[in-house]
Amino acid sequence: MQTIILEKPGQFQLAETEPPTEPLPGQALVRVRRVGICGTDIHAFKGDQPFFSYPRILGHELGVEVVALDSKVATLKVGDLCAVEPYLNCRVCIACRRGRPHCCVQLQCLGVHTDGGMREIITVPAVKLHRSDTLTLEQLALVETMGIGAHAVERACLQAGEFALVIGAGPIGLAVIQFAQLAGATVIVMDINQDRLDFCRHQFKVDWTIAAGKEATTRLREITSNDMPTAVFDATGNRQSMIHAFDLVAHSGRLILVGLMLGDVTFHDPDAHRRELTLLCSRNATAANFQRIISLMESGEIDTTPWITHRASMTSMIDAFPSWIDPKNRVIKAMVDIEGG
Ligand SMILES: [Zn+2]
Ligand SMILES: [Zn+2]
């Protein structure tokens, strides 16, 4: 089968690999039909993801079709179209035992820690497949990205009428915005990039956008009648932004770190203590998040049309990928069509 392998940073190769032939116990054999590209893939390509190992088959945002099932799997049938929850967990660690498999001690994310979906056929545990009878394959491939936002908003227990600040308006930030709006929060978006802020205003009808920088705190005070936002989501994964975010939270508020950074984040204890600040990290998403997103997409409460800005086939992706990294091309989400033989 055709497979795109990231041989090393900056170098994809289209190769022929042996497809899996039958599902193992509890597993499904699926044909990968669409793969969404995200920041993780871009970091892997750039080579600035220090713990990433090569060669690797990328692809963790997947829209798939079931082609064969282990006979014991009764929840799915051949031909079902599904989103894939790509977080493979050990089922025995403390997080798994507590029903929190998305932060499993041994977590293996498809396409990140283990080979993913940039190939025609893969096997996945049937429990990781979330079916829809009406969504398109592209919508199904968007569910994972949305899950990051849904989970972060769930972690925050966001209430209607709150001011929620989302720092960083890339795909993760957009996913947070989407679910913060559904929770009834008044959303403020902050970014250094004016194009992204315009996109949020026009496509996501965000209430307030502010340019990151010296004036940001003053603007936040104006917007919130001096209160400051009670929920602040950092979706930048940028150290400076994450440290600065502590200063932007209202007294009694919480800071939710969604973006990830490989380094230390520090804060001044009296400032955090005085506010009784709650700090939350948000990782991946739960099966319940996946199911909720699918129903919200099915009912039209989530409009996926602004999301996909670029498309490519398996072969054209290799040439197109470097251009997707260039900010001037304004990629929100690129989608790869895995044609199959
Ligand atoms: Zn992703
Ligand atoms: Zn585990």
Side-chain angles (χ1 to χ4, degrees):
M1 63 176 166
Q2 289 207 304
T3 304
I4 296 176
I5 302 169
L6 182 60
E7 295 285 356
K8 57 183 184 187
Q11 192 191 318
F12 281 116
Q13 190 171 334
L14 192 60
E16 203 53 45
T17 60
E18 212 46 58
T21 50
E22 55 188 291
L24 298 168
Q27 297 218 329
L29 206 63
V30 299
R31 179 174 292 282
V32 181
R33 304 277 303 272
R34 295 293 184 284
V35 179
I37 303 298
C38 90
T40 308
D41 303 311
I42 288 169
H43 286 299
F45 181 78
K46 282 188 186 167
D48 57 9
Q49 195 96 304
F51 302 113
F52 208 87
S53 66
Y54 303 85
R56 177 66 67 221
I57 301 169
L58 301 180
H60 62 275
E61 303 183 359
L62 309 175
V64 305
E65 178 183 349
V66 175
V67 290
L69 288 160
D70 170 45
S71 58
K72 289 190 186 65
V73 178
T75 48
L76 293 162
K77 58 183 190 310
V78 170
D80 280 346
L81 302 186
C82 304
V84 178
E85 189 191 327
Y87 323 121
L88 306 178
N89 60 296
C90 77
R91 311 200 321 200
V92 297
C93 78
I94 179 64
C96 289
R97 293 192 327 265
R98 297 181 76 223
R100 312 293 286 166
H102 58 282
C103 58
C104 168
V105 174
Q106 311 280 358
L107 191 99
Q108 297 267 299
C109 182
L110 279 176
V112 181
H113 309 100
T114 177
D115 283 337
M118 281 201 188
R119 46 185 165 161
E120 294 173 48
I121 307 273
I122 58 170
T123 54
V124 284
V127 291
K128 301 291 182 185
L129 293 172
H130 300 280
R131 182 174 65 97
S132 170
D133 292 332
T134 54
L135 295 184
T136 65
L137 288 158
E138 285 192 342
Q139 286 177 309
L140 290 166
L142 279 177
V143 174
E144 196 270 346
T145 301
M146 302 265 186
I148 308 297
H151 187 58
V153 169
E154 180 184 77
R155 294 277 290 145
C157 300
L158 202 60
Q159 304 294 310
E162 277 192 73
F163 278 108
L165 171 65
V166 180
I167 309 170
I172 299 293
L174 293 176
V176 175
I177 291 166
Q178 191 115 57
F179 291 94
Q181 287 176 328
L182 279 170
T186 301
V187 175
I188 309 165
V189 182
M190 183 161 101
D191 199 291
I192 47 172
N193 182 324
Q194 195 56 50
D195 283 345
R196 284 181 162 188
L197 294 178
D198 292 343
F199 183 88
C200 290
R201 267 200 308 280
H202 298 132
Q203 299 290 338
F204 283 74
K205 311 290 177 229
V206 161
D207 305 292
W208 304 94
T209 57
I210 56 179
K214 282 202 283 292
E215 302 300 310
T217 306
T218 312
R219 287 286 295 129
L220 281 171
R221 289 207 176 279
E222 285 166 10
I223 295 166
T224 62
S225 312
N226 220 32
D227 287 341
M228 297 301 276
T230 44
V232 174
F233 296 87
D234 184 280
T236 66
N238 173 284
R239 182 166 184 268
Q240 246 55 53
S241 170
M242 287 158 92
I243 290 172
H244 182 52
F246 282 82
D247 298 333
L248 305 179
V249 185
H251 277 242
S252 79
R254 58 267 197 232
L255 172 61
I256 306 93
L257 300 180
V258 195
L260 164 78
M261 186 265 307
L262 296 163
D264 295 338
V265 172
T266 55
F267 61 92
H268 186 60
D269 181 61
D271 286 344
H273 238 107
R274 198 155 31 86
R275 293 180 199 162
E276 199 179 52
L277 183 139
T278 301
L279 175 63
L280 295 154
C281 294
S282 185
R283 186 180 186 194
N284 296 331
T286 64
N289 294 143
F290 273 68
Q291 271 151 21
R292 174 172 174 238
I293 292 160
I294 288 172
S295 9
L296 288 167
M297 282 181 176
E298 287 175 342
S299 65
E301 283 167 273
I302 293 179
D303 176 13
T304 53
T305 42
W307 278 86
I308 300 161
T309 51
H310 293 69
R311 290 179 174 84
S313 68
M314 245 177 142
T315 41
S316 65
M317 187 212 86
I318 295 175
D319 292 331
F321 201 94
S323 74
W324 291 343
I325 295 172
D326 189 338
K328 80 170 191 295
N329 292 318
R330 300 184 189 179
V331 177
I332 302 293
K333 183 61 66 184
M335 204 48 83
V336 183
D337 187 338
I338 308 290
E339 289 121 291

